[in-house]
Amino acid sequence: MSPESGADRNGEPVLRLAGIVRESIVDGPGIRFTVFCQGCPHGCPGCHNPETHDFAGGSDCSADRLLEEIDKDPLLAGVTFSGGEPFCQAEAFELLGRKVKERGLSLTVFSGYTYEELQEMAGRDEHVRGLLEITDLLIDGPFLQEQRDLTLQFRGSANQRLIDMNRTREAGYPVMWGQDS
Protein backbone atom coordinates (compact mmCIF):
# COMPACT_ATOMS: atom_id res chain seq x y z
CA MET A 1 0.00 0.00 0.00
CA SER A 2 1.13 3.51 -0.72
CA PRO A 3 0.89 6.35 1.78
CA GLU A 4 -2.10 8.63 1.44
CA SER A 5 -1.47 11.93 -0.35
CA GLY A 6 -2.38 14.21 2.53
CA ALA A 7 -5.44 16.03 3.80
CA ASP A 8 -7.68 18.79 2.50
CA ARG A 9 -8.71 21.94 4.42
CA ASN A 10 -11.33 19.88 6.31
CA GLY A 11 -8.76 17.32 7.39
CA GLU A 12 -10.15 14.69 5.02
CA PRO A 13 -7.75 12.54 2.96
CA VAL A 14 -6.94 13.84 -0.50
CA LEU A 15 -7.08 11.57 -3.53
CA ARG A 16 -4.08 11.26 -5.86
CA LEU A 17 -5.59 11.14 -9.35
CA ALA A 18 -4.46 10.39 -12.87
CA GLY A 19 -7.67 11.87 -14.29
CA ILE A 20 -11.41 11.58 -14.70
CA VAL A 21 -13.93 10.77 -17.42
CA ARG A 22 -17.19 12.63 -16.84
CA GLU A 23 -19.42 10.25 -18.79
CA SER A 24 -18.33 6.68 -19.56
CA ILE A 25 -20.34 3.71 -20.75
CA VAL A 26 -17.42 1.23 -20.66
CA ASP A 27 -16.48 1.40 -16.96
CA GLY A 28 -19.57 -0.21 -15.46
CA PRO A 29 -23.35 -0.29 -15.93
CA GLY A 30 -25.06 2.85 -17.18
CA ILE A 31 -23.51 6.28 -17.58
CA ARG A 32 -20.67 6.60 -15.09
CA PHE A 33 -18.32 9.25 -13.75
CA THR A 34 -14.95 7.47 -13.72
CA VAL A 35 -12.16 8.44 -11.35
CA PHE A 36 -8.70 7.14 -12.30
CA CYS A 37 -6.44 6.97 -9.28
CA GLN A 38 -2.70 7.46 -9.53
CA GLY A 39 -0.37 4.71 -8.34
CA CYS A 40 -0.40 0.99 -8.92
CA PRO A 41 1.85 -1.76 -7.55
CA HIS A 42 0.80 -4.43 -10.06
CA GLY A 43 2.65 -3.32 -13.22
CA CYS A 44 0.65 -5.64 -15.46
CA PRO A 45 2.32 -6.04 -18.88
CA GLY A 46 -0.01 -4.59 -21.52
CA CYS A 47 -1.92 -2.46 -19.00
CA HIS A 48 -4.41 -0.08 -20.61
CA ASN A 49 -3.41 2.73 -18.19
CA PRO A 50 0.39 2.47 -17.68
CA GLU A 51 0.62 6.21 -16.99
CA THR A 52 -1.24 5.58 -13.71
CA HIS A 53 1.46 3.30 -12.25
CA ASP A 54 3.84 5.94 -10.80
CA PHE A 55 2.75 6.80 -7.25
CA ALA A 56 4.48 10.19 -7.58
CA GLY A 57 2.56 11.14 -10.73
CA GLY A 58 -0.86 12.69 -11.13
CA SER A 59 -2.31 15.43 -8.98
CA ASP A 60 -4.16 15.80 -5.69
CA CYS A 61 -7.90 16.40 -5.54
CA SER A 62 -10.36 16.56 -2.66
CA ALA A 63 -13.44 14.37 -2.51
CA ASP A 64 -15.58 17.52 -2.29
CA ARG A 65 -14.15 18.85 -5.56
CA LEU A 66 -14.98 15.58 -7.34
CA LEU A 67 -18.46 15.58 -5.83
CA GLU A 68 -19.09 19.07 -7.23
CA GLU A 69 -18.44 17.64 -10.70
CA ILE A 70 -20.46 14.48 -10.07
CA ASP A 71 -23.42 16.54 -8.84
CA LYS A 72 -23.52 18.49 -12.12
CA ASP A 73 -24.66 15.43 -14.10
CA PRO A 74 -28.22 14.19 -13.44
CA LEU A 75 -27.78 11.38 -15.99
CA LEU A 76 -25.20 9.43 -13.97
CA ALA A 77 -26.09 5.91 -12.85
CA GLY A 78 -22.98 5.76 -10.74
CA VAL A 79 -19.32 6.35 -10.17
CA THR A 80 -16.41 4.06 -11.03
CA PHE A 81 -13.03 3.96 -9.32
CA SER A 82 -10.35 2.71 -11.68
CA GLY A 83 -6.63 2.90 -11.79
CA GLY A 84 -4.06 2.72 -10.92
CA GLU A 85 -5.13 0.77 -7.85
CA PRO A 86 -7.92 2.38 -5.78
CA PHE A 87 -7.24 0.10 -2.80
CA CYS A 88 -3.78 1.69 -2.43
CA GLN A 89 -5.68 4.84 -1.40
CA ALA A 90 -8.42 2.99 0.46
CA GLU A 91 -9.09 5.68 3.06
CA ALA A 92 -9.61 8.47 0.53
CA PHE A 93 -11.62 6.31 -1.86
CA GLU A 94 -13.77 4.96 0.97
CA LEU A 95 -14.60 8.54 1.97
CA LEU A 96 -15.49 9.50 -1.61
CA GLY A 97 -17.42 6.26 -2.07
CA ARG A 98 -19.56 6.88 1.01
CA LYS A 99 -20.46 10.34 -0.29
CA VAL A 100 -21.28 8.85 -3.70
CA LYS A 101 -23.57 6.27 -2.08
CA GLU A 102 -25.31 9.04 -0.05
CA ARG A 103 -26.32 10.49 -3.41
CA GLY A 104 -28.02 7.24 -4.40
CA LEU A 105 -25.42 6.39 -7.04
CA SER A 106 -23.95 2.94 -7.57
CA LEU A 107 -20.25 2.27 -7.02
CA THR A 108 -18.05 0.14 -9.28
CA VAL A 109 -14.42 -0.48 -8.31
CA PHE A 110 -11.68 -1.94 -10.50
CA SER A 111 -8.82 -3.68 -8.69
CA GLY A 112 -5.76 -5.61 -9.76
CA TYR A 113 -6.13 -7.55 -6.52
CA THR A 114 -8.49 -10.51 -6.45
CA TYR A 115 -11.55 -10.49 -4.22
CA GLU A 116 -9.84 -13.08 -2.03
CA GLU A 117 -6.71 -10.93 -1.66
CA LEU A 118 -8.88 -7.92 -0.82
CA GLN A 119 -10.75 -9.93 1.82
CA GLU A 120 -7.41 -10.81 3.41
CA MET A 121 -6.30 -7.17 3.29
CA ALA A 122 -9.63 -6.08 4.79
CA GLY A 123 -8.80 -8.08 7.89
CA ARG A 124 -5.83 -5.75 8.45
CA ASP A 125 -7.10 -2.45 7.05
CA GLU A 126 -10.44 -0.94 8.08
CA HIS A 127 -10.52 1.30 4.99
CA VAL A 128 -10.07 -1.61 2.58
CA ARG A 129 -12.91 -3.30 4.46
CA GLY A 130 -15.00 -0.11 4.32
CA LEU A 131 -14.46 0.37 0.59
CA LEU A 132 -15.45 -3.24 -0.07
CA GLU A 133 -18.58 -2.81 2.08
CA ILE A 134 -19.90 0.04 -0.10
CA THR A 135 -18.90 -1.39 -3.49
CA ASP A 136 -21.76 -2.63 -5.67
CA LEU A 137 -19.68 -4.12 -8.50
CA LEU A 138 -16.07 -5.23 -8.06
CA ILE A 139 -14.04 -5.96 -11.17
CA ASP A 140 -11.11 -7.91 -9.77
CA GLY A 141 -7.81 -9.42 -10.80
CA PRO A 142 -4.74 -8.29 -12.70
CA PHE A 143 -4.81 -7.71 -16.43
CA LEU A 144 -3.22 -10.74 -18.10
CA GLN A 145 -2.00 -10.05 -21.62
CA GLU A 146 -2.26 -13.76 -22.56
CA GLN A 147 -5.99 -13.68 -21.62
CA ARG A 148 -6.74 -10.35 -23.32
CA ASP A 149 -10.24 -10.32 -24.79
CA LEU A 150 -11.74 -7.12 -26.17
CA THR A 151 -15.22 -8.68 -26.37
CA LEU A 152 -15.58 -8.88 -22.58
CA GLN A 153 -17.90 -6.44 -20.85
CA PHE A 154 -16.11 -3.82 -18.69
CA ARG A 155 -12.78 -5.68 -18.48
CA GLY A 156 -9.74 -6.52 -20.56
CA SER A 157 -8.78 -10.11 -19.75
CA ALA A 158 -10.75 -13.30 -19.16
CA ASN A 159 -9.39 -13.88 -15.65
CA GLN A 160 -10.99 -10.67 -14.36
CA ARG A 161 -14.35 -11.18 -12.68
CA LEU A 162 -17.45 -9.01 -12.37
CA ILE A 163 -18.46 -9.61 -8.76
CA ASP A 164 -21.88 -8.51 -7.53
CA MET A 165 -20.81 -7.36 -4.09
CA ASN A 166 -24.34 -6.92 -2.72
CA ARG A 167 -25.24 -10.52 -3.52
CA THR A 168 -21.77 -11.68 -2.44
CA ARG A 169 -22.27 -10.15 1.02
CA GLU A 170 -25.61 -11.97 1.32
CA ALA A 171 -24.29 -15.31 0.07
CA GLY A 172 -20.92 -15.27 1.84
CA TYR A 173 -19.05 -16.23 -1.34
CA PRO A 174 -18.37 -14.46 -4.66
CA VAL A 175 -21.48 -14.15 -6.84
CA MET A 176 -20.87 -12.99 -10.39
CA TRP A 177 -22.68 -9.89 -11.63
CA GLY A 178 -25.49 -10.68 -14.04
CA GLN A 179 -25.67 -14.27 -12.83
CA ASP A 180 -29.26 -15.41 -12.38
CA SER A 181 -30.46 -16.34 -8.92
Side-chain angles (χ1 to χ4, degrees):
M1 298 291 205
S2 169
E4 299 291 337
S5 296
D8 67 11
R9 65 183 181 281
N10 299 319
E12 293 182 342
V14 172
L15 298 110
R16 189 74 159 162
L17 301 184
I20 62 169
V21 173
R22 294 177 193 283
E23 289 188 347
S24 170
I25 58 169
V26 298
D27 295 317
I31 299 172
R32 310 198 67 76
F33 188 100
T34 303
V35 180
F36 293 92
C37 77
Q38 183 69 40
C40 183
H42 307 296
C44 302
C47 175
H48 185 67
N49 300 324
E51 67 283 358
T52 67
H53 293 182
D54 183 1
F55 283 95
S59 60
D60 289 343
C61 186
S62 71
D64 288 341
R65 178 69 186 103
L66 287 170
L67 290 164
E68 287 174 14
E69 296 304 311
I70 291 166
D71 289 342
K72 290 178 183 178
D73 192 340
L75 300 178
L76 293 176
V79 175
T80 296
F81 299 160
S82 191
E85 176 56 64
F87 284 94
C88 286
Q89 298 183 53
E91 181 178 6
F93 276 95
E94 178 192 7
L95 170 73
L96 177 58
R98 290 195 184 283
K99 292 180 178 189
V100 163
K101 298 294 287 187
E102 287 171 3
R103 286 159 166 74
L105 297 170
S106 70
L107 182 61
T108 294
V109 180
F110 282 81
S111 179
Y113 294 109
T114 64
Y115 168 79
E116 292 77 11
E117 290 169 325
L118 290 168
Q119 285 293 103
E120 185 177 311
M121 293 163 58
R124 300 184 308 271
D125 186 324
E126 67 180 298
H127 299 295
V128 169
R129 183 171 53 255
L131 182 52
L132 283 173
E133 287 172 356
I134 59 174
T135 298
D136 296 298
L137 175 60
L138 175 68
I139 301 171
D140 82 331
F143 172 77
L144 298 177
Q145 182 69 39
E146 62 275 11
Q147 292 189 35
R148 180 176 184 244
D149 184 345
L150 298 179
T151 67
L152 296 171
Q153 188 176 32
F154 309 138
R155 60 203 191 278
S157 60
N159 63 297
Q160 296 170 313
R161 301 177 292 181
L162 302 174
I163 300 175
D164 182 330
M165 290 298 291
N166 298 312
R167 291 180 61 203
T168 293
R169 284 186 284 276
E170 290 173 10
Y173 56 86
V175 177
M176 297 308 114
W177 182 77
Q179 185 177 341
D180 293 331
S181 302

